[in-house]
Amino acid sequence: MATVPVIPFACANDAADTSPTCKGKGQLACGNCHLVLYCGKECQKAHWSAHKTVCKSPIGKSNWRPDWDRECRDPAWASGAAQTNAHNPYGGGVFLWGNVPAIDVLRLAENEGVTYDEDIQLLFAASGDLRNVVKTISDLPATTRQEIRITINDKEFAVVARNVILLLFVLDTLSVATPDGGKSRFLVAEALIHLWYSAFVPASMLSMVRNVVRPFISDVCTKIANKNPAACLGKSWTFASGRSLRLVLSKDQWLRLDRMLCAHDLTWERAKDVRHAVVLAPGRSDFRDRWDFNEPTPFSRIAKGRFREDGLLLPFGHSRVGFDTPNLLLFQNSETWLMNDKADPLDGWPVWEVLRHPSPAKEDRYGKLELKNHLAPDKFMRIEASNISDVAHLGVGDTLSCLSPLLQLPQSNPHATLISLFLNAVLEIAKRTGANSNPIYTKAAMKYLPIPDISSLLKSQGAETYRLWDARHFSSTWTCSSGCKLSRCFYFDNLSTQLGVSEKECNTIVEKWPIRLKLRHGQDGAQEEFMVLLGSNFSGTERYVEWKRKGAKN
């Protein structure tokens, strides 16, 4: 069956199981849940029998509580192996979506200036998905005319393969002007969103991607048939638009990428079961309840629950008809769900930009989102290193040793910057020093939370107790004190002397603490800001450090 375009928003009555259904434009939100849109009152009434199970769901009530709390039992993480596991991840270990909001790594206006006219060289050394690339390019001044060269690298083949397919698809399909008033460009944009985030896509969409991308890869595989399996082989393509792409993989990786683009027999039913075994695992229900209890509003729990259930980045009330083919970019031709059960598309984008997107369905957050050997030294004006500077990966010393020589020299560009993210380090320092349990942070968090049920607070495993524990990281006092400890614990001064780099006194690309509270308690919007961050997958302790080669000015 044909899928319904996302824009304009469809009347939710179009998604009903009964016939006939409405084909009108959704513009009137349900006044209770604010999750679905209707063309008018008649369709809202006609759809009530289908919608009321959502609109009247117990989890959408303000007094909803997690099962373990209502049953007065210990939650799953309070005993056994989970008790000693700091992060308690479950499922695959591949990060196909971002876990911090996208950043513009250039910010020309605050650095080189909008009149900067020299060629731009950027390195995303551990790119993960393409969100930072997309954000940086989309934020360029409209007057930008110089050549832009972007080098993208990641150690995970699953990440690289996905990025390559998306880039080849968009570069080829958008390279030729079409006489349809931009309709084809909109369809490509919608396809990209679903390929990026939806677990299932229309069969026609997947066929279109295969027809566009596979010939590029198969042609290379034919030509390298007799090459050494471990040899690194590069191929460059230039498109009608004048843009070009160069890909370097081993022979085995080229062949693997080609196989990934072949048709496979993974059915919708099997793929759904594989994904549900991770994101809806029965043994993880207490974890999901804990996350849901932290949500800023009751109905945002339902929006998140629907995405967990069907994995489709669609407006809540939009028809799911036709989204029945496993997305090869997320399943990648295997019967394994590659990500963990907490992975969320919303984590990769600035949460306030998403929430402020105008829509009558204000609770429908997922619907809003829908809308070194090969590198020359002294080359890049920006290097974005993700969180490989965390001790679980390369560590800050090895990261700077490998990447700082690739950064432009101060005399060439005094604004050249290497951007490193410490995703886990602040929490690890806090645990090591005992700051994690300091009551001052708990006291600061209590100012923002609803007046608790005292009987629940007295329970060591109560939902209110855990919510308070989760909330303490968002205290501005916490981030201020932890920032100083970061530079001491990782010997920034010693690294500066050894490697000829220094930490910039003031960040000019991305805030040091981008997910820290911006408003003081008592200011307009402070309560909402706190609750939105608490309901996210962020910790509030994400810390960016910007580095320059010595001799540059801030």
Side-chain angles (χ1 to χ4, degrees):
M1 297 178 68
T3 58
V4 180
V6 172
I7 302 296
F9 287 127
C11 175
N13 198 30
D14 181 65
D17 295 330
T18 56
S19 186
T21 57
C22 176
K23 303 301 179 184
K25 178 181 177 181
Q27 51 194 0
L28 173 69
C30 171
N32 184 48
C33 68
H34 292 279
L35 286 170
V36 296
L37 299 173
Y38 298 99
C39 64
K41 290 288 186 181
E42 288 188 8
C43 271
Q44 185 175 12
K45 291 178 182 178
H47 191 238
W48 176 243
S49 60
H51 178 58
K52 66 182 178 182
T53 56
V54 169
C55 205
K56 298 297 183 181
S57 170
I59 199 173
K61 305 293 185 183
S62 60
N63 62 353
W64 174 85
R65 307 189 74 77
D67 284 349
W68 94 81
D69 186 76
R70 290 187 293 102
E71 296 164 7
C72 297
R73 60 173 173 81
D74 287 353
W77 59 82
S79 60
Q83 192 174 25
T84 58
N85 188 335
H87 301 292
N88 282 310
Y90 185 79
V94 180
F95 293 90
L96 296 178
W97 302 332
N99 48 12
V100 288
I103 61 171
D104 170 8
V105 304
L106 276 173
R107 294 192 71 186
L108 284 177
E110 293 80 6
N111 292 277
E112 290 82 357
V114 294
T115 60
Y116 183 80
D117 59 1
E118 296 183 29
D119 290 347
I120 293 172
Q121 300 267 13
L122 307 176
L123 170 60
F124 295 87
S127 68
D129 68 355
L130 294 170
R131 72 192 188 286
N132 289 337
V133 179
V134 171
K135 175 71 172 170
T136 300
I137 296 302
S138 64
D139 285 357
L140 282 170
T143 55
T144 302
R145 295 292 181 270
Q146 62 266 53
E147 183 177 89
I148 302 171
R149 289 183 175 269
I150 301 174
T151 302
I152 305 170
N153 177 71
D154 201 278
K155 69 173 184 177
E156 282 281 356
F157 174 79
V159 172
V160 174
R162 181 168 170 268
N163 290 344
V164 167
I165 291 171
L166 289 172
L167 287 170
L168 282 173
F169 176 67
V170 72
L171 287 170
D172 187 67
T173 53
L174 298 183
S175 62
V176 180
T178 55
D180 58 5
K183 181 179 179 181
S184 61
R185 286 177 174 264
F186 170 77
L187 293 176
V188 169
E190 187 171 338
L192 284 170
I193 289 170
H194 290 302
L195 291 166
W196 200 320
Y197 292 119
S198 290
F200 303 93
V201 297
S204 59
M205 185 181 293
L206 200 57
S207 177
M208 176 173 61
V209 173
R210 285 196 174 105
N211 291 340
V212 169
V213 177
R214 195 175 179 215
F216 291 110
I217 307 303
S218 297
D219 179 61
V220 175
C221 291
T222 300
K223 294 176 180 177
I224 64 174
N226 297 321
K227 298 290 185 180
N228 186 308
C232 278
L233 305 165
K235 170 64 178 177
S236 298
W237 299 279
T238 300
F239 302 90
S241 62
R243 298 180 177 91
S244 62
L245 176 69
R246 179 169 176 79
L247 176 63
V248 179
L249 298 172
S250 69
K251 176 185 174 181
D252 282 347
Q253 290 171 330
W254 279 106
L255 297 176
R256 186 176 170 187
L257 182 57
D258 189 51
R259 290 194 299 271
M260 182 177 153
L261 288 161
C262 294
H264 55 83
D265 57 2
L266 179 61
T267 64
W268 176 84
E269 291 83 1
R270 174 59 184 158
K272 183 188 71 170
D273 290 344
V274 165
R275 181 177 172 274
H276 280 186
V278 173
V279 302
L280 293 176
R284 298 284 288 182
S285 61
D286 286 348
F287 291 85
R288 293 191 294 274
D289 279 359
R290 180 178 181 175
W291 304 332
D292 289 345
F293 192 63
N294 288 342
E295 282 292 316
T297 67
F299 285 107
S300 63
R301 300 174 192 145
I302 293 179
K304 179 170 283 189
R306 177 137 203 200
F307 184 77
R308 282 195 196 119
E309 173 65 33
D310 63 24
L312 301 181
L313 196 71
L314 285 167
F316 193 94
H318 195 277
S319 172
R320 268 60 180 165
V321 170
F323 286 81
D324 54 9
T325 305
N327 183 353
L328 64 83
L329 274 69
L330 299 184
F331 289 96
Q332 297 209 353
N333 231 8
S334 71
E335 295 198 5
T336 303
W337 184 246
L338 297 171
M339 293 178 283
N340 67 45
D341 61 343
K342 205 176 183 184
D344 191 323
L346 290 166
D347 294 345
W349 300 98
V351 62
W352 290 110
E353 289 184 16
V354 175
L355 294 180
R356 287 168 181 159
H357 185 81
S359 170
K362 62 182 182 181
E363 294 289 354
D364 186 12
R365 296 185 294 171
Y366 294 87
K368 291 182 180 182
L369 181 60
E370 198 274 353
L371 297 175
K372 162 172 179 173
N373 289 335
H374 302 287
L375 303 177
D378 313 329
K379 178 178 181 179
F380 297 98
M381 60 190 291
R382 300 287 188 278
I383 298 176
E384 193 273 312
S386 189
N387 69 313
I388 60 174
S389 49
D390 271 334
V391 293
H393 303 291
L394 276 183
V396 62
D398 286 343
T399 298
L400 293 174
S401 177
C402 290
L403 297 179
S404 63
L406 306 178
L407 196 64
Q408 288 176 346
L409 291 166
Q411 53 266 40
S412 299
N413 182 359
H415 302 281
T417 302
L418 189 157
I419 307 158
S420 62
L421 167 64
F422 291 87
L423 198 58
N424 305 309
V426 173
L427 281 177
E428 290 163 355
I429 291 170
K431 290 174 184 176
R432 197 161 63 228
T433 60
N436 201 37
S437 303
N438 193 324
I440 190 174
Y441 306 128
T442 304
K443 185 177 179 181
M446 288 182 72
K447 297 177 181 178
Y448 294 91
L449 294 173
I451 297 175
D453 179 342
I454 300 301
S455 62
S456 178
L457 273 180
L458 294 175
K459 294 187 291 185
S460 62
Q461 305 295 341
E464 301 279 7
T465 302
Y466 277 109
R467 180 160 66 179
L468 185 57
W469 179 259
D470 293 339
R472 72 200 189 287
H473 297 154
F474 293 102
S475 162
S476 59
T477 308
W478 173 290
T479 54
C480 286
S481 62
S482 300
C484 299
K485 293 175 182 175
L486 186 69
S487 59
R488 291 200 303 270
C489 287
F490 292 105
Y491 306 104
F492 283 6
D493 288 344
N494 290 352
L495 291 173
S496 177
T497 302
Q498 294 168 10
L499 301 175
V501 297
S502 60
E503 179 185 3
K504 291 166 64 174
E505 292 180 13
C506 298
N507 283 15
T508 62
I509 308 298
V510 59
E511 295 177 69
K512 290 184 178 182
W513 303 95
I515 310 172
R516 174 179 167 180
L517 295 175
K518 305 297 189 295
L519 300 173
R520 291 180 178 273
H521 180 257
Q523 288 184 301
D524 288 346
Q527 180 78 20
E528 181 188 6
E529 178 191 40
F530 184 90
M531 295 307 295
V532 166
L533 291 180
L534 178 59
S536 72
N537 285 341
F538 306 125
S539 69
T541 62
E542 296 85 353
R543 171 75 154 87
Y544 278 97
V545 177
E546 295 183 6
W547 305 88
K548 62 185 180 181
R549 293 180 76 171
K550 281 195 171 178
K553 298 178 181 179
N554 280 325

